[in-house]
Amino acid sequence: MQVEEFENNIHYAMEYHFPISFILHNEGNKQKFHGYCVYIQTVTKELRIQKKDSSFECIQFDEIISVIVGD
């Protein structure tokens, strides 16, 4: 059920262009990540995130521990 909740939050944030924060499990460490989700690649299960400096980064869906939608 947690995956479904993550997906719902991500889609909600994309629809209304709300900022989104993630906590990721990355090589044994927790990492915080903030930005706007602009694209979901369903085949590879990646999210394309636009950061505050307008650069983009891709994150793997299976790295996500937590999703928080801002407004």
Side-chain angles (χ1 to χ4, degrees):
M1 282 298 185
Q2 191 173 28
V3 171
E4 186 176 320
E5 182 182 337
F6 291 167
E7 289 175 349
N8 289 338
N9 286 341
I10 292 165
H11 284 285
Y12 177 77
M14 285 181 69
E15 182 175 351
Y16 295 102
H17 197 64
F18 287 147
I20 193 165
S21 298
F22 298 94
I23 297 177
L24 307 174
H25 184 268
N26 190 349
E27 298 178 10
N29 299 315
K30 288 184 181 179
Q31 175 184 7
K32 289 186 179 182
F33 199 86
H34 307 283
Y36 292 87
C37 186
V38 294
Y39 185 74
I40 299 173
Q41 176 55 267
T42 55
V43 174
T44 59
K45 298 189 180 195
E46 290 181 331
L47 304 174
R48 187 174 302 146
I49 308 299
Q50 183 175 12
K51 300 188 298 184
K52 196 184 288 188
D53 64 1
S54 297
S55 66
F56 293 91
E57 188 157 334
C58 290
I59 60 173
Q60 296 291 320
F61 196 82
D62 62 357
E63 295 177 335
I64 299 172
I65 297 172
S66 176
V67 176
I68 301 149
V69 177
D71 50 11

